[in-house]
């Protein structure tokens, strides 16, 4: 084994890459360990050496110019005798291909990795770099679940001196786009297709396109639509099915046009999955009680039809019970109004009240009026009635959880992946309760777009949607991890900032406003944003107060000037 490459001291072999061996080495100048990727040129002709050297160093040129958290960092490159080498960061993790089992991966893990890789591809594409070899072996997943995109050896970069060979397949055929495998011109959308194949494999454990030879594989990629991921993995949602399908569209114009668009869609899907997961943490009832969704509609019937008549019915049963000699049958009659309330009442508190009322009425009857039956018979009746009442409560809770899973889908704005007002208001209510209990500052920002309606009228809905998606991406980049975003209307957004002082909130709002103004100026969207914010040192009285105060501040900002921030009071 070689001991030195340039100034680097070789410690041991890490593995083998697509273009040579990879060693662990030490940089004596700064005392850090690096990964050294090496290519041996011995035995090659001068023409082959020239071509190989250009191709090898292109990786350093492509990745070295991309400073991004989800792309491998390149430190150095050089040549030592017949050896070419690239020095890069050394990380603890595994190739994505090693993590994909026969049945695929957990959906939330797939989304987590996919969001990171999409962001890395978006950054690379923004800087003119097309990877051209996106596959599991070129994605490293670290021990902390951070994903890193690697191996830009055949990337297409601006002003590259490496000439593409139109009659030679460069890359991994199973992951190639139709245009790439047919030697047609490619752009960043080719990477989106390739990553769609990777996502398909992560979700199902199988490749969407397979053939006994290269010609059969080419035909599959060019002409055949594979089965949906959900047909092989029932845990894959329709939304995720649609995302993967759009990535693997045969026509590049039918795919996501940028990796950032794909990232937005994946984030929306992740929000949905996480929301449903929270419900499942209470009771894992999704598969066992699916049929209850057909008969239970909490809140589906008016309060006057469900709760009050059921209470009146129980009181009527009590009156009949104490005036007639029929015993067991009257006790069982309480079950009917309890079932109605349990499966159809708007609030779980109504169910609890009804169960407690039924138990009290039955207990009063049993203790004070049914004197003609023996003590043993009363014990038997209690053992029959009490479990039935409790069972009704449990069934009501399970039915409600399943109903809320379905209803949860309506709390998201699918264009941005943010909560809409229906889903956002409960979050604000929770924060108000937290502040009442623990104290601390609580800030809230309200953002409005100017001339958004005019944009829709003059350039169409697609332009309006594109502007909203751009704004959503800017907001995501600027806010902190503890903040939450909601889309309240067509052109209005809100940002909730827990434990945030007035000065900190103003700083965040100014950054958001500056970023939006800067980004929108580079586009064809003639819109601007105004932000109003309010900081509560004491808990507000209601969600309505929060929205009204911040909304008034936003209008104050709008009346002052376009692209400004104003404080509410």
């Amino acid at each position: 084994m070689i001991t030195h490459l340039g100034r680097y001291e070789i410690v041991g072999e890490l593995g083998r890459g697509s273009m040579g061996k990879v060693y662990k080495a030490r940089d004596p100048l700064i005392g850090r360990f690096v990964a050294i990727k090496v290519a041996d040129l011995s035995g090659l002709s001068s023409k082959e050496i020239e071509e190989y050297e250009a191709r090898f160093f292109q990786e350093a040129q492509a990745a070295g110019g991309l400073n991004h958290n989800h792309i491998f960092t390149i430190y150095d490159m050089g040549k030592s005798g017949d050896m070419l080498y690239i020095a890069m960061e050394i990380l603890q993790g595994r190739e994505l291909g090693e993590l994909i089992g026969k049945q695929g991966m957990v959906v939330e893990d797939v989304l987590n990795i996919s969001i990171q890789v999409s962001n890395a591809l978006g950054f690379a594409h923004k800087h003119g770099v097309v990877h051209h070899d996106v596959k599991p072996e070129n994605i490293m997943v670290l021990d902390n679940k951070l994903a890193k995109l690697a191996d830009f050896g055949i990337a297409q970069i601006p002003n590259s001196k490496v000439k593409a060979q139109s009659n030679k397949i460069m890359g991994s055929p199973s992951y190639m786009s139709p245009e790439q495998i047919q030697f047609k011109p490619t752009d960043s959308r080719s990477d989106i297709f390739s990553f769609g194949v990777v996502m398909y494999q992560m979700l199902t454990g199988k490749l969407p396109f397979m053939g006994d030879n290269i010609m059969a594989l080419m035909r599959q990629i060019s002409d055949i639509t594979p089965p949906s991921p959900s047909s092989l993995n029932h845990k894959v949602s329709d939304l995720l099915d649609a995302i993967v399908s759009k990535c693997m569209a045969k026509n590049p114009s039918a795919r996501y046009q940028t990796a950032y668009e794909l990232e937005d869609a994946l984030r929306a899907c992740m929000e949905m999955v996480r929301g449903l997961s929270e419900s499942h943490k209470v009771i894992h009832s999704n598969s066992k009680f699916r049929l209850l969704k057909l008969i239970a509609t909490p809140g589906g019937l008016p309060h006057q039809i469900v709760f009050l008549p059921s209470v009146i019915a129980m009181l009527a049963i009590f009156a009949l019970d104490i005036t007639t000699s029929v015993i067991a049958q009257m006790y069982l009659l309480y079950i009917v109004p309890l079932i109605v309330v349990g499966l159809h009442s708007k609030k779980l508190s109504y169910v609890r009240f009804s169960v407690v009322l039924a138990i009290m009425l039955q207990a009063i009857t049993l203790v004070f009026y049914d004197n003609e039956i023996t003590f043993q018979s009363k014990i038997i009746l209690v053992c029959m009635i009490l479990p039935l009442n409790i069972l009704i409560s449990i069934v009501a809770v399970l039915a409600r959880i399943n109903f809320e899973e379905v209803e949860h889908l309506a709390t998201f704005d699918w264009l941005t992946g943010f909560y809409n007002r229906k889903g956002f208001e409960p979050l604000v209510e929770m924060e108000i309760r937290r502040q009442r209990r623990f104290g601390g500052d609580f800030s809230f920002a309200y953002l409005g777009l100017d001339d958004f309606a005019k944009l829709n009228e003059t350039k169409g809905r697609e332009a309006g949607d594109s502007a909203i998606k751009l704004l959503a991406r800017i907001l995501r980049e600027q806010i902190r991890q503890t903040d939450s975003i909601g889309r309240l209307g067509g052109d209005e957004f809100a940002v909730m900032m827990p434990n945030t002082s007035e000065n900190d909130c103003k700083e965040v709002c100014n950054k958001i406003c500056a970023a939006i103004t800067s980004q929108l100026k580079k586009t064809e969207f003639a819109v601007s944003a105004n932000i109003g914010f309010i900081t509560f040192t004491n808990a507000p009285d209601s969600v309505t107060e929060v929205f009204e105060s911040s909304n008034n501040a936003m209008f104050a900002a709008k009346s002052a000037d376009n692209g400004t921030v104003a404080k509410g009071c």
Side-chain angles (χ1 to χ4, degrees), residues 471-528:
L471 180 61
R473 182 162 62 80
I474 294 169
L475 285 172
R476 237 184 240 113
E477 291 172 351
Q478 296 299 322
I479 67 165
R480 305 158 306 175
Q481 286 187 337
T482 54
D483 301 336
S484 301
I485 311 175
R487 186 183 180 194
L488 308 182
D491 57 356
E492 294 179 347
F493 293 79
V495 182
M496 183 174 66
M497 307 179 197
N499 297 314
T500 303
S501 66
E502 180 180 313
N503 289 336
D504 289 343
C505 177
K506 187 175 182 180
E507 183 180 347
V508 172
C509 291
N510 281 324
K511 285 182 179 179
I512 292 173
C513 207
I516 292 172
T517 303
S518 173
Q519 292 287 333
L520 290 177
K521 280 183 179 178
K522 299 175 184 177
T523 68
E524 58 181 6
F525 309 132
V527 294
S528 59

Side-chain angles (χ1 to χ4, degrees), residues 435-452:
Q435 192 185 24
R436 284 173 184 160
R437 184 174 179 183
F438 300 107
D441 293 340
F442 158 44
S443 294
F444 194 89
Y446 204 108
L447 183 150
L449 287 179
D450 278 339
D451 299 322
F452 180 69

Side-chain angles (χ1 to χ4, degrees), residues 71 90 186 346 402 443 490 532:
I71 296 176
I90 186 168
T186 59
K346 184 176 182 180
N402 281 270
S443 294

